[in-house]
Amino acid sequence: MVPVQWYLLLATAVFCIGLFGILTRKNALLFLMSVELMLNAANINLVAFSAYWGNITGQTFSLFTMALAAAEVAVGIGIILVLYRNFDDVDVTLAKGMRW
């Protein structure tokens, strides 16, 4: 069996990659992909601790997190389509003109 520390190290690396993507990218699609990486890092932690403690609660929360990620993608793609329709680009820095 793989020790839980390896899962935590993997989740930390995936979360840091996602955080780096959010902080450095201007493309909205890459921004959404980075958020998905961060949510997947949380899922890795939930499943790893669920297996470590021998209960199914973490796996249940992981399923809810996957449903949340699917809803987030649906809303995000809608926002990206509006952004592309209004500015002919998916650069998130151009959205300053969409404010009230």
Side-chain angles (χ1 to χ4, degrees):
M1 182 165 168
V2 180
V4 73
Q5 291 87 4
W6 289 101
Y7 292 115
L8 295 178
L9 185 64
L10 174 66
T12 303
V14 170
F15 187 85
C16 288
I17 291 169
L19 184 63
F20 179 77
I22 285 178
L23 293 176
T24 59
R25 303 292 179 186
K26 294 181 181 180
N27 189 338
L29 291 173
L30 294 176
F31 192 82
L32 277 177
M33 288 171 46
S34 298
V35 170
E36 290 295 323
L37 281 174
M38 293 172 70
L39 286 172
N40 284 331
N43 284 339
I44 292 170
N45 280 333
L46 288 169
V47 171
F49 282 117
S50 175
Y52 180 74
W53 291 108
N55 60 12
I56 200 164
T57 307
Q59 295 174 7
T60 306
F61 280 119
S62 179
L63 287 174
F64 285 121
T65 307
M66 286 181 199
L68 175 79
E72 177 255 334
V73 166
V75 171
I77 292 295
I79 292 171
I80 289 172
L81 287 174
V82 169
L83 185 67
Y84 184 75
R85 187 180 303 148
N86 288 338
F87 297 105
D88 293 328
D89 197 9
V90 289
D91 188 4
V92 293
T93 60
L94 298 175
K96 293 177 184 174
M98 290 180 70
R99 290 190 213 168
W100 294 89

